Amino acid sequence: MHRLTPLCLLSALTMAVPAAAQTTHDEALWVNGTVMGQIQGPVVFFAEVQPRIGDGVSRLSQLLLRPAVGVQLSKQVTVYQGYAHVIDPVENGPDLQEDRLFQQVTWNVGTVGRLEVQSRTRLEERWRSDGDGMSLRARQMMRFEYPLAPGSKRLAALGSVEGFVGLKSAEWGGVTGFDQVRTFFGVEIPLAGTSTLEAGYLNQTRDAPGRRVNMVHAAALNLFIRL
């Protein structure tokens, strides 16, 4: 059971959200399209496009483009180096542009009974167009998958929790300490080949200045095309 220790750490992160804070709510649609595959030998890649529709599902609130190249160290562990470009549209003003470099370790932890467990650890270096300096942020996600039918192509129940911790702020922003936590519940639907579609509910709970908490309730659709 010691393998699930990161989940305990994430639970502690959620407790860090101020209990007396004022909470604002928003409804959203988050869509993710990811293409992934093998380049040659142990070298692999993925490329993501993520439009996020917010403000009561009324407008594009963020667009994220994120490619990465990785090396499979074993069947269980893959390390990646990637880049992300993030666009935050601003009404009546120039869009905010963010550039990120990130390093990622994906670890297929194993199974607990029929429950499949995966860990993803990511470190992000972030720069933004509205100020100077680099912000540094760490992210830890635990993902759980439970097959609802036998076989490799089967419907599965999904759950994940991801904690974000700021390690260094910059002139433009960023935080030190607790940043946000995301939780997801849904199903994985098999498609052609090994491609899949994930559909479910995502909750983003984010710390904000002035003892405020911003909470997003999002319908999430994630398409994974595996080449």
Side-chain angles (χ1 to χ4, degrees):
M1 295 301 292
H2 63 281
R3 288 181 171 182
L4 300 184
T5 300
L7 181 60
C8 299
L9 297 177
L10 291 177
S11 298
L13 286 175
T14 62
M15 295 174 64
V17 179
Q22 179 182 0
T23 303
T24 61
H25 298 268
D26 187 27
E27 295 77 40
L29 171 64
W30 288 21
V31 179
N32 173 22
T34 301
V35 178
M36 61 181 65
Q38 185 178 22
I39 297 176
Q40 186 175 7
V43 181
V44 294
F45 79 96
F46 70 78
E48 301 178 356
V49 178
Q50 293 189 29
R52 297 171 180 174
I53 314 299
D55 286 348
V57 199
S58 65
R59 69 176 188 90
L60 179 68
S61 58
Q62 190 173 78
L63 176 63
L64 190 150
L65 309 172
R66 182 162 46 204
V69 175
V71 177
Q72 290 181 317
L73 302 181
S74 68
K75 290 184 178 180
Q76 289 75 37
V77 178
T78 304
V79 296
Y80 291 92
Q81 173 62 58
Y83 164 77
H85 184 67
V86 184
I87 302 171
D88 292 329
V90 177
E91 294 184 14
N92 304 318
D95 295 344
L96 291 178
Q97 309 280 337
E98 181 179 329
D99 294 293
R100 301 176 188 170
L101 293 176
F102 69 92
Q103 300 75 45
Q104 176 176 308
V105 179
T106 302
W107 174 31
N108 294 318
V109 178
T111 59
V112 179
R114 294 176 61 191
L115 184 68
E116 301 170 9
V117 183
Q118 185 182 75
S119 167
R120 186 185 75 191
T121 305
R122 181 179 290 171
L123 181 67
E124 298 176 324
E125 300 85 40
R126 307 169 62 201
W127 296 265
R128 215 166 70 175
S129 60
D130 58 341
D132 295 329
M134 181 195 75
S135 173
L136 188 64
R137 184 170 69 182
R139 302 168 54 167
Q140 173 64 44
M141 183 181 79
M142 297 299 297
R143 171 188 161 100
F144 307 93
E145 183 172 337
Y146 189 85
L148 300 177
S152 58
K153 291 177 65 69
R154 75 286 190 269
L155 189 71
L158 296 178
S160 68
V161 57
E162 182 174 19
F164 295 60
V165 176
L167 305 178
K168 178 182 179 295
S169 61
E171 177 187 287
W172 55 264
V175 301
T176 54
F178 173 80
D179 179 16
Q180 62 177 281
V181 62
R182 295 178 188 173
T183 53
F184 172 81
F185 301 97
V187 294
E188 180 184 63
I189 303 167
L191 302 176
T194 57
S195 298
T196 55
L197 175 67
E198 298 177 4
Y201 165 76
L202 183 143
N203 179 283
Q204 179 192 52
T205 301
R206 185 170 218 159
D207 201 12
R211 295 187 59 79
R212 293 183 296 110
V213 171
N214 297 332
M215 185 176 292
V216 174
H217 307 274
L221 294 174
N222 305 310
L223 174 64
F224 294 93
I225 300 175
R226 296 176 174 88
L227 304 179

